[in-house]
Structures are given as C-alpha cells and as structure tokens.
Coordinates of all heavy atoms in Angstrom, one line a residue:
M1 N 13.0 26.6 70.6 CA 12.2 26.3 69.4 C 11.4 27.6 69.0 O 10.9 28.3 69.9 CB 11.2 25.3 69.8 CG 10.9 24.3 68.7 SD 10.3 22.7 69.2 CE 8.6 23.0 69.6
T2 N 11.3 27.9 67.7 CA 10.6 29.1 67.3 C 9.3 28.7 66.7 O 9.1 27.6 66.2 CB 11.4 29.8 66.2 OG1 11.6 28.9 65.1 CG2 12.8 30.2 66.7
D3 N 8.3 29.6 66.9 CA 7.0 29.3 66.3 C 7.0 29.6 64.9 O 7.5 30.7 64.4 CB 5.9 30.2 67.0 CG 5.7 29.8 68.5 OD1 5.8 28.6 68.7 OD2 5.4 30.7 69.3
Q4 N 6.5 28.7 64.1 CA 6.5 28.9 62.6 C 5.1 29.4 62.3 O 4.1 28.8 62.8 CB 6.8 27.6 61.9 CG 8.2 27.2 62.0 CD 8.5 26.0 61.1 OE1 7.6 25.4 60.6 NE2 9.8 25.7 61.0
E5 N 5.0 30.3 61.3 CA 3.7 30.8 60.9 C 3.1 29.8 59.9 O 3.8 29.2 59.1 CB 3.9 32.1 60.2 CG 2.6 32.8 60.0 CD 2.8 34.3 59.5 OE1 3.6 35.0 60.1 OE2 2.1 34.6 58.5
A6 N 1.8 29.5 60.0 CA 1.2 28.6 59.1 C 1.3 29.1 57.6 O 1.3 30.3 57.4 CB -0.3 28.4 59.4
P7 N 1.4 28.2 56.7 CA 1.5 28.7 55.3 C 0.2 29.4 54.9 O -0.9 29.0 55.3 CB 1.7 27.4 54.5 CG 1.3 26.3 55.4 CD 1.5 26.8 56.8
K8 N 0.4 30.4 54.1 CA -0.8 31.2 53.6 C -1.3 30.6 52.3 O -0.5 30.1 51.5 CB -0.4 32.7 53.3 CG 0.1 33.4 54.5 CD -1.0 33.7 55.5 CE -0.4 34.5 56.6 NZ -1.2 34.5 57.8
I9 N -2.6 30.5 52.2 CA -3.3 30.0 51.0 C -3.6 31.2 50.2 O -4.2 32.2 50.7 CB -4.5 29.2 51.4 CG1 -4.1 28.0 52.2 CG2 -5.2 28.7 50.1 CD1 -5.3 27.2 52.8
E10 N -3.3 31.1 48.9 CA -3.7 32.2 48.0 C -5.1 31.9 47.3 O -5.2 30.8 46.7 CB -2.6 32.4 46.9 CG -1.3 32.9 47.5 CD -0.3 33.3 46.4 OE1 -0.8 33.6 45.3 OE2 0.9 33.1 46.7
F11 N -6.0 32.8 47.6 CA -7.4 32.6 47.1 C -7.6 33.4 45.8 O -7.0 34.5 45.7 CB -8.4 32.9 48.1 CG -8.4 32.0 49.3 CD1 -7.7 32.4 50.5 CD2 -9.0 30.8 49.3 CE1 -7.7 31.6 51.6 CE2 -9.0 30.0 50.4 CZ -8.3 30.4 51.6
P12 N -8.4 33.0 44.9 CA -9.1 31.7 44.8 C -8.2 30.6 44.5 O -7.2 30.8 43.8 CB -10.2 32.0 43.7 CG -9.6 33.0 42.9 CD -8.7 33.9 43.8
C13 N -8.6 29.4 44.9 CA -7.8 28.2 44.6 C -8.7 27.0 44.6 O -9.7 27.0 45.2 CB -6.6 28.0 45.6 SG -7.2 27.7 47.3
E14 N -8.2 25.9 43.9 CA -8.9 24.6 44.0 C -8.6 24.0 45.3 O -7.4 23.9 45.7 CB -8.4 23.7 42.8 CG -8.7 24.2 41.5 CD -10.2 24.4 41.3 OE1 -11.0 23.5 41.4 OE2 -10.6 25.6 41.0
Y15 N -9.6 23.6 46.0 CA -9.5 23.2 47.4 C -10.3 21.9 47.7 O -11.5 22.0 47.7 CB -10.0 24.3 48.3 CG -9.5 24.3 49.8 CD1 -8.4 24.8 50.2 CD2 -10.3 23.6 50.7 CE1 -8.0 24.8 51.5 CE2 -9.9 23.5 52.0 CZ -8.8 24.1 52.4 OH -8.4 24.0 53.7
P16 N -9.6 20.8 47.9 CA -10.3 19.6 48.1 C -10.7 19.5 49.6 O -10.0 19.8 50.5 CB -9.3 18.5 47.8 CG -8.0 19.1 48.0 CD -8.2 20.6 47.7
I17 N -12.0 19.1 49.8 CA -12.5 18.9 51.2 C -13.0 17.5 51.4 O -13.9 17.1 50.5 CB -13.6 20.0 51.5 CG1 -13.1 21.4 51.3 CG2 -14.2 19.8 52.8 CD1 -14.1 22.4 51.3
K18 N -12.6 16.8 52.4 CA -13.1 15.5 52.7 C -14.1 15.5 53.8 O -13.8 16.1 54.9 CB -11.9 14.5 53.0 CG -12.4 13.1 53.3 CD -11.2 12.2 53.6 CE -10.6 11.8 52.3 NZ -9.6 10.7 52.4
V19 N -15.3 14.9 53.6 CA -16.3 14.9 54.5 C -16.6 13.5 54.9 O -16.9 12.7 54.0 CB -17.6 15.6 53.9 CG1 -18.7 15.7 55.0 CG2 -17.3 17.0 53.4
L20 N -16.6 13.2 56.2 CA -16.8 11.8 56.7 C -18.1 11.8 57.5 O -18.3 12.6 58.4 CB -15.6 11.4 57.5 CG -15.7 10.0 58.2 CD1 -15.6 8.9 57.1 CD2 -14.6 9.9 59.2
G21 N -18.9 10.7 57.3 CA -20.1 10.5 58.1 C -20.5 9.1 58.0 O -20.0 8.3 57.2
R22 N -21.6 8.8 58.7 CA -22.2 7.4 58.7 C -22.9 7.2 57.4 O -23.6 8.1 56.9 CB -23.1 7.2 59.9 CG -22.4 7.1 61.2 CD -23.3 6.6 62.3 NE -22.6 6.4 63.5 CZ -21.8 5.3 63.8 NH1 -21.8 4.3 62.9 NH2 -21.2 5.2 64.9
E23 N -22.8 6.0 56.9 CA -23.5 5.6 55.6 C -25.0 5.7 55.9 O -25.5 5.0 56.8 CB -23.1 4.2 55.2 CG -23.7 3.8 53.9 CD -23.4 4.6 52.7 OE1 -22.2 4.5 52.2 OE2 -24.2 5.4 52.2
H24 N -25.7 6.6 55.2 CA -27.1 6.8 55.4 C -27.7 7.4 54.2 O -27.0 8.1 53.5 CB -27.3 7.7 56.6 CG -28.7 7.8 57.1 ND1 -29.6 8.8 56.5 CD2 -29.4 7.2 58.0 CE1 -30.7 8.6 57.1 NE2 -30.7 7.7 58.0
D25 N -29.0 7.2 53.9 CA -29.6 7.7 52.7 C -29.5 9.2 52.6 O -29.5 9.8 51.5 CB -31.0 7.3 52.6 CG -31.2 5.8 52.3 OD1 -30.2 5.2 51.8 OD2 -32.3 5.2 52.5
N26 N -29.5 9.9 53.8 CA -29.6 11.4 53.8 C -28.2 12.0 53.8 O -28.1 13.3 53.7 CB -30.3 11.9 55.0 CG -31.8 11.5 55.0 OD1 -32.4 11.3 53.9 ND2 -32.4 11.3 56.1
F27 N -27.1 11.2 54.0 CA -25.8 11.8 54.1 C -25.4 12.6 52.9 O -25.1 13.8 52.9 CB -24.8 10.7 54.4 CG -23.3 11.2 54.4 CD1 -22.9 12.0 55.5 CD2 -22.5 11.0 53.4 CE1 -21.6 12.5 55.6 CE2 -21.2 11.5 53.4 CZ -20.7 12.2 54.5
R28 N -25.4 11.9 51.7 CA -24.9 12.6 50.5 C -25.8 13.8 50.1 O -25.2 14.9 49.8 CB -24.8 11.6 49.4 CG -24.2 12.1 48.1 CD -24.0 11.1 47.0 NE -23.5 11.6 45.8 CZ -22.3 11.2 45.3 NH1 -21.7 10.3 45.8 NH2 -21.9 11.8 44.2
P29 N -27.1 13.7 50.1 CA -27.9 14.9 49.8 C -27.7 16.1 50.7 O -27.6 17.2 50.3 CB -29.3 14.4 49.8 CG -29.3 12.9 49.7 CD -27.9 12.5 50.3
A30 N -27.5 15.8 52.0 CA -27.3 16.8 53.0 C -26.0 17.5 52.7 O -25.9 18.8 52.7 CB -27.3 16.3 54.4
V31 N -24.9 16.8 52.5 CA -23.6 17.3 52.2 C -23.6 18.2 50.9 O -23.1 19.3 50.9 CB -22.5 16.2 52.1 CG1 -21.2 16.7 51.6 CG2 -22.3 15.6 53.5
L32 N -24.2 17.6 49.9 CA -24.2 18.3 48.6 C -25.0 19.6 48.7 O -24.7 20.6 48.0 CB -24.8 17.4 47.5 CG -23.9 16.2 47.2 CD1 -24.5 15.4 46.0 CD2 -22.5 16.6 46.8
A33 N -26.1 19.6 49.5 CA -26.9 20.9 49.6 C -26.0 22.0 50.3 O -26.1 23.1 49.8 CB -28.1 20.6 50.5
V34 N -25.2 21.6 51.2 CA -24.3 22.6 51.9 C -23.3 23.1 50.9 O -23.0 24.3 50.8 CB -23.7 22.0 53.1 CG1 -22.6 23.0 53.7 CG2 -24.7 21.7 54.2
F35 N -22.7 22.2 50.1 CA -21.7 22.6 49.1 C -22.4 23.5 48.1 O -21.7 24.5 47.6 CB -21.1 21.4 48.5 CG -19.9 20.9 49.2 CD1 -20.0 20.0 50.2 CD2 -18.6 21.4 48.9 CE1 -18.9 19.6 51.0 CE2 -17.5 21.0 49.7 CZ -17.6 20.1 50.7
E36 N -23.6 23.2 47.6 CA -24.2 24.1 46.6 C -24.5 25.5 47.2 O -24.4 26.5 46.5 CB -25.6 23.5 46.2 CG -25.4 22.4 45.1 CD -24.9 22.9 43.8 OE1 -25.0 24.1 43.5 OE2 -24.3 22.1 43.1
R37 N -24.8 25.5 48.5 CA -25.1 26.8 49.1 C -23.8 27.7 49.2 O -23.8 28.9 49.0 CB -25.7 26.6 50.5 CG -26.2 27.8 51.2 CD -27.1 27.6 52.4 NE -26.6 26.6 53.3 CZ -27.1 25.4 53.5 NH1 -28.1 24.9 52.8 NH2 -26.6 24.6 54.5
H38 N -22.7 27.1 49.5 CA -21.4 27.8 49.8 C -20.5 27.8 48.6 O -19.6 28.7 48.6 CB -20.7 27.2 51.0 CG -21.5 27.5 52.3 ND1 -21.5 28.7 52.9 CD2 -22.2 26.7 53.0 CE1 -22.3 28.6 54.0 NE2 -22.7 27.4 54.1
A39 N -20.6 26.9 47.7 CA -19.7 26.9 46.5 C -20.5 26.5 45.3 O -20.3 25.5 44.7 CB -18.6 25.9 46.7
P40 N -21.5 27.3 44.9 CA -22.4 27.0 43.8 C -21.6 26.7 42.5 O -20.6 27.4 42.3 CB -23.3 28.2 43.7 CG -22.7 29.3 44.5 CD -21.8 28.7 45.5
G41 N -22.1 25.7 41.8 CA -21.4 25.4 40.5 C -20.2 24.5 40.6 O -19.5 24.3 39.6
F42 N -19.9 24.0 41.8 CA -18.7 23.1 41.9 C -19.0 21.9 41.0 O -20.1 21.5 40.7 CB -18.5 22.6 43.4 CG -19.5 21.7 43.9 CD1 -19.3 20.3 43.8 CD2 -20.6 22.1 44.5 CE1 -20.2 19.4 44.3 CE2 -21.6 21.2 45.0 CZ -21.3 19.9 44.9
D43 N -17.9 21.3 40.5 CA -18.1 20.2 39.6 C -18.4 18.8 40.3 O -17.5 18.2 40.9 CB -16.8 20.0 38.8 CG -16.9 19.0 37.6 OD1 -17.9 18.4 37.4 OD2 -15.9 18.9 36.9
S44 N -19.6 18.4 40.3 CA -20.0 17.2 41.0 C -19.5 16.0 40.4 O -19.5 14.9 41.0 CB -21.6 17.1 41.0 OG -22.1 17.1 39.7
K45 N -18.9 16.0 39.1 CA -18.3 14.9 38.5 C -16.9 14.5 39.2 O -16.4 13.4 39.0 CB -18.1 15.1 37.0 CG -19.4 15.1 36.3 CD -19.2 15.4 34.8 CE -19.2 16.9 34.6 NZ -19.1 17.4 33.3
T46 N -16.4 15.5 39.9 CA -15.1 15.2 40.6 C -15.2 14.6 42.0 O -14.2 14.4 42.6 CB -14.3 16.5 40.6 OG1 -14.9 17.4 41.5 CG2 -14.0 17.1 39.3
I47 N -16.4 14.4 42.4 CA -16.6 13.9 43.8 C -16.1 12.4 43.8 O -16.4 11.6 43.0 CB -18.1 13.9 44.2 CG1 -18.6 15.3 44.2 CG2 -18.3 13.2 45.5 CD1 -20.1 15.4 44.4
V48 N -15.3 12.2 44.9 CA -14.8 10.8 45.1 C -15.4 10.3 46.4 O -15.3 10.9 47.4 CB -13.2 10.8 45.2 CG1 -12.7 9.4 45.5 CG2 -12.6 11.4 44.0
A49 N -16.1 9.2 46.3 CA -16.8 8.6 47.4 C -16.1 7.3 47.8 O -15.7 6.5 46.9 CB -18.2 8.3 47.1
K50 N -15.8 7.1 49.1 CA -15.2 5.8 49.5 C -15.9 5.4 50.8 O -16.1 6.1 51.7 CB -13.7 6.1 49.9 CG -12.8 6.3 48.7 CD -11.4 6.3 49.1 CE -10.5 6.6 47.9 NZ -9.1 6.6 48.2
G51 N -16.3 4.1 50.8 CA -16.9 3.5 51.9 C -15.9 2.8 52.8 O -14.8 2.4 52.4
S52 N -16.2 2.7 54.1 CA -15.3 2.0 55.1 C -15.4 0.5 54.8 O -16.3 0.0 54.1 CB -15.7 2.3 56.5 OG -17.0 1.8 56.8
S53 N -14.5 -0.2 55.3 CA -14.4 -1.7 55.0 C -15.6 -2.4 55.5 O -16.1 -3.4 54.9 CB -13.2 -2.3 55.7 OG -13.2 -2.1 57.1
K54 N -16.3 -1.9 56.6 CA -17.5 -2.6 57.1 C -18.8 -1.9 56.6 O -19.9 -2.3 56.9 CB -17.5 -2.6 58.6 CG -16.4 -3.4 59.2 CD -16.4 -3.5 60.7 CE -15.3 -4.3 61.3 NZ -15.3 -4.4 62.7
G55 N -18.6 -0.8 55.8 CA -19.8 -0.2 55.3 C -20.5 0.8 56.2 O -21.6 1.2 55.9
T56 N -19.9 1.0 57.4 CA -20.5 1.9 58.4 C -20.4 3.3 58.0 O -21.3 4.1 58.3 CB -19.9 1.6 59.8 OG1 -20.0 0.2 60.0 CG2 -20.6 2.4 60.8
F57 N -19.2 3.7 57.5 CA -18.9 5.1 57.2 C -18.7 5.3 55.7 O -18.4 4.4 55.0 CB -17.7 5.6 58.0 CG -17.9 5.6 59.4 CD1 -17.6 4.6 60.3 CD2 -18.5 6.7 60.1 CE1 -17.8 4.6 61.6 CE2 -18.7 6.8 61.4 CZ -18.3 5.7 62.2
V58 N -18.8 6.6 55.3 CA -18.5 6.9 53.9 C -17.8 8.3 53.9 O -18.1 9.1 54.8 CB -19.8 7.0 53.0 CG1 -20.7 8.0 53.5 CG2 -19.4 7.1 51.5
S59 N -16.9 8.5 53.0 CA -16.2 9.8 52.9 C -16.5 10.3 51.5 O -16.5 9.5 50.5 CB -14.7 9.7 53.2 OG -14.0 9.1 52.2
L60 N -16.7 11.6 51.4 CA -16.8 12.3 50.1 C -15.7 13.3 50.0 O -15.6 14.1 50.9 CB -18.2 13.0 50.0 CG -19.4 12.1 50.1 CD1 -20.7 13.0 50.0 CD2 -19.5 11.1 49.0
T61 N -14.9 13.2 49.0 CA -13.9 14.3 48.7 C -14.5 15.1 47.6 O -14.7 14.6 46.5 CB -12.6 13.7 48.4 OG1 -12.1 12.8 49.4 CG2 -11.5 14.8 48.2
I62 N -14.7 16.4 47.9 CA -15.2 17.3 47.0 C -14.3 18.5 46.8 O -13.8 19.1 47.8 CB -16.6 17.8 47.5 CG1 -17.5 16.6 47.7 CG2 -17.2 18.8 46.5 CD1 -18.8 17.0 48.4
T63 N -14.0 18.8 45.5 CA -13.1 19.9 45.3 C -13.9 21.1 44.8 O -14.7 21.0 43.9 CB -12.0 19.5 44.2 OG1 -11.3 18.4 44.6 CG2 -11.1 20.7 43.9
I64 N -13.6 22.2 45.5 CA -14.3 23.5 45.1 C -13.3 24.5 44.8 O -12.1 24.4 45.0 CB -15.2 24.0 46.3 CG1 -14.3 24.4 47.5 CG2 -16.2 23.0 46.7 CD1 -15.0 25.2 48.6
T65 N -13.7 25.6 44.2 CA -12.9 26.8 44.0 C -13.1 27.7 45.3 O -14.2 28.3 45.4 CB -13.2 27.6 42.7 OG1 -13.0 26.7 41.6 CG2 -12.3 28.8 42.6
A66 N -12.2 27.6 46.2 CA -12.4 28.3 47.5 C -12.1 29.8 47.2 O -11.1 30.2 46.5 CB -11.4 27.8 48.5
T67 N -12.9 30.7 47.8 CA -12.8 32.1 47.6 C -12.1 32.8 48.8 O -11.7 34.0 48.7 CB -14.1 32.7 47.3 OG1 -15.0 32.5 48.4 CG2 -14.7 32.2 46.0
G68 N -12.1 32.2 49.9 CA -11.5 32.8 51.1 C -11.8 32.0 52.4 O -12.6 31.1 52.4
P69 N -11.1 32.4 53.4 CA -11.2 31.6 54.7 C -12.6 31.7 55.3 O -13.1 30.7 55.9 CB -10.2 32.3 55.6 CG -9.6 33.5 54.9 CD -10.1 33.4 53.5
E70 N -13.3 32.8 55.1 CA -14.7 32.9 55.6 C -15.6 31.9 54.9 O -16.5 31.2 55.6 CB -15.3 34.3 55.4 CG -16.6 34.5 56.0 CD -16.6 34.5 57.5 OE1 -15.6 34.7 58.2 OE2 -17.7 34.1 58.1
Q71 N -15.5 31.7 53.6 CA -16.3 30.6 52.9 C -16.0 29.3 53.5 O -16.9 28.5 53.8 CB -15.9 30.6 51.4 CG -16.6 29.5 50.7 CD -16.0 29.3 49.3 OE1 -14.8 29.4 49.2 NE2 -16.8 28.9 48.4
L72 N -14.7 28.9 53.7 CA -14.4 27.6 54.3 C -14.9 27.4 55.7 O -15.4 26.4 56.0 CB -12.8 27.4 54.2 CG -12.2 27.4 52.8 CD1 -10.7 27.3 52.9 CD2 -12.8 26.3 52.0
K73 N -14.8 28.5 56.5 CA -15.3 28.4 57.9 C -16.8 28.2 57.9 O -17.3 27.3 58.6 CB -15.0 29.7 58.6 CG -15.5 29.8 60.0 CD -15.2 31.2 60.6 CE -15.8 31.4 61.9 NZ -17.2 31.8 61.8
C74 N -17.6 28.9 57.1 CA -19.0 28.7 57.0 C -19.4 27.4 56.5 O -20.3 26.7 57.0 CB -19.6 29.8 56.2 SG -19.5 31.5 56.9
L75 N -18.7 26.9 55.5 CA -18.9 25.6 54.9 C -18.7 24.5 56.0 O -19.6 23.6 56.1 CB -18.0 25.4 53.7 CG -18.1 24.1 53.0 CD1 -19.4 24.0 52.2 CD2 -16.9 23.9 52.0
H76 N -17.7 24.6 56.7 CA -17.4 23.6 57.8 C -18.5 23.6 58.8 O -19.0 22.6 59.2 CB -16.0 23.9 58.4 CG -15.6 23.0 59.5 ND1 -16.0 23.2 60.8 CD2 -15.0 21.8 59.5 CE1 -15.5 22.2 61.6 NE2 -14.9 21.4 60.8
E77 N -18.9 24.8 59.3 CA -19.9 24.9 60.3 C -21.2 24.4 59.8 O -21.9 23.6 60.6 CB -20.1 26.4 60.7 CG -18.9 27.0 61.5 CD -19.0 28.5 61.7 OE1 -19.9 29.1 61.2 OE2 -18.1 29.0 62.5
D78 N -21.6 24.7 58.6 CA -22.9 24.2 58.1 C -22.8 22.6 57.9 O -23.9 22.0 58.0 CB -23.3 24.9 56.8 CG -23.8 26.3 57.1 OD1 -23.9 26.7 58.3 OD2 -24.1 27.0 56.1
L79 N -21.7 22.1 57.5 CA -21.6 20.7 57.3 C -21.8 19.9 58.6 O -22.6 19.0 58.7 CB -20.2 20.3 56.7 CG -20.1 20.5 55.2 CD1 -18.6 20.4 54.8 CD2 -20.9 19.6 54.4
I80 N -21.1 20.4 59.7 CA -21.3 19.8 61.0 C -22.7 20.0 61.5 O -23.3 19.1 62.1 CB -20.3 20.4 62.0 CG1 -18.8 20.1 61.6 CG2 -20.5 19.9 63.4 CD1 -18.5 18.7 61.5
A81 N -23.3 21.1 61.2 CA -24.7 21.4 61.7 C -25.7 20.5 61.1 O -26.9 20.3 61.6 CB -25.1 22.8 61.4
T82 N -25.4 19.8 60.0 CA -26.4 18.9 59.3 C -26.7 17.7 60.3 O -27.8 17.1 60.1 CB -25.9 18.3 58.0 OG1 -24.7 17.4 58.3 CG2 -25.5 19.3 57.0
G83 N -25.8 17.4 61.2 CA -26.0 16.2 62.1 C -25.6 14.9 61.4 O -25.6 13.9 62.1
H84 N -25.3 14.9 60.1 CA -24.9 13.7 59.4 C -23.3 13.6 59.3 O -22.8 12.6 59.0 CB -25.5 13.7 58.0 CG -26.9 13.7 58.0 ND1 -27.7 12.6 58.4 CD2 -27.8 14.6 57.6 CE1 -29.0 12.9 58.3 NE2 -29.1 14.1 57.8
V85 N -22.6 14.7 59.5 CA -21.2 14.8 59.3 C -20.4 14.6 60.6 O -20.7 15.3 61.6 CB -20.8 16.1 58.6 CG1 -19.3 16.2 58.5 CG2 -21.5 16.2 57.3
Q86 N -19.5 13.6 60.6 CA -18.7 13.3 61.8 C -17.4 14.2 61.8 O -16.9 14.6 62.8 CB -18.3 11.9 61.8 CG -19.4 10.9 61.7 CD -20.2 10.9 63.0 OE1 -19.6 10.8 64.1 NE2 -21.5 11.0 62.9
M87 N -16.8 14.4 60.5 CA -15.5 15.1 60.5 C -15.4 15.7 59.1 O -15.9 15.2 58.1 CB -14.4 14.0 60.6 CG -13.0 14.6 60.7 SD -11.8 13.3 60.9 CE -12.3 12.3 62.2
V88 N -14.7 16.9 59.1 CA -14.4 17.6 57.8 C -12.9 17.8 57.8 O -12.3 18.4 58.8 CB -15.1 19.0 57.8 CG1 -14.8 19.7 56.4 CG2 -16.6 18.8 57.9
I89 N -12.3 17.4 56.8 CA -10.8 17.5 56.7 C -10.5 18.4 55.4 O -11.0 18.1 54.4 CB -10.1 16.2 56.5 CG1 -10.5 15.3 57.7 CG2 -8.6 16.3 56.4 CD1 -10.0 13.9 57.6

C-alpha cells in the first residue's frame, strides 16, 4: 500500500465550517465572536443552524473565505477554547 498525499487546498477559497455544541444562550454569540475575529466580514446570512432531535445540541455551518491553513488552525483553536464548542468539522 502506498501513502497518498492529502489534497491541497488553493487559498483563498470559500470554506464551510461546521461547529457543534450544546444548545445554550451563549453558544451562538461565542461562536460568532470567534468567526468575526478570524474571518471578519463573513456573510452571516449564509449561516445554517440545525438542532438535534432532542434539542440538546445545535450545529452552525458557517462559510468563510479562508485565507490559509494558519487562519483555519487559529479559528479551530479559539472555537474550542470558548468552552461551548464540542466539535469543529
């Protein structure tokens, strides 16, 4: 078996990011604050929110114009650091 190299992403590009956390009043504001810090001017009208069947969790899919891997790494780290985010996909 040969090791395949991961596909390269050409930046800048439109990049959807799904953020999952527990349904809570502070979840959405905390997530949006991180996105504003790392991807200012993203189109908030494109945010797709979905709740879990029992209403315990919510996911937000937010599309940004990604400028590079460092931006995505910092965004991910800051989202997790909020304490409200369970997973970033």
Side-chain angles (χ1 to χ4, degrees):
M1 216 156 80
T2 62
D3 291 328
Q4 291 184 351
E5 192 172 313
K8 300 288 182 196
I9 299 173
E10 292 186 31
F11 294 100
C13 65
E14 295 302 301
Y15 197 89
I17 300 170
K18 183 178 277 192
V19 183
L20 177 71
R22 291 196 174 273
E23 180 64 72
H24 189 273
D25 290 341
N26 295 331
F27 176 73
R28 188 178 178 119
V31 168
L32 295 180
V34 172
F35 273 88
E36 278 296 334
R37 191 165 48 252
H38 292 284
F42 73 93
D43 188 358
S44 61
K45 291 179 272 183
T46 64
I47 298 172
V48 177
K50 289 186 180 180
S52 66
S53 61
K54 294 183 180 179
T56 306
F57 294 95
V58 64
S59 71
L60 299 177
T61 302
I62 302 171
T63 301
I64 65 168
T65 301
T67 58
E70 185 64 26
Q71 176 199 32
L72 296 176
K73 177 182 171 283
C74 291
L75 181 66
H76 180 269
E77 289 171 354
D78 284 358
L79 284 167
I80 297 298
T82 65
H84 297 290
V85 174
Q86 305 289 314
M87 187 183 309
V88 180
I89 303 171

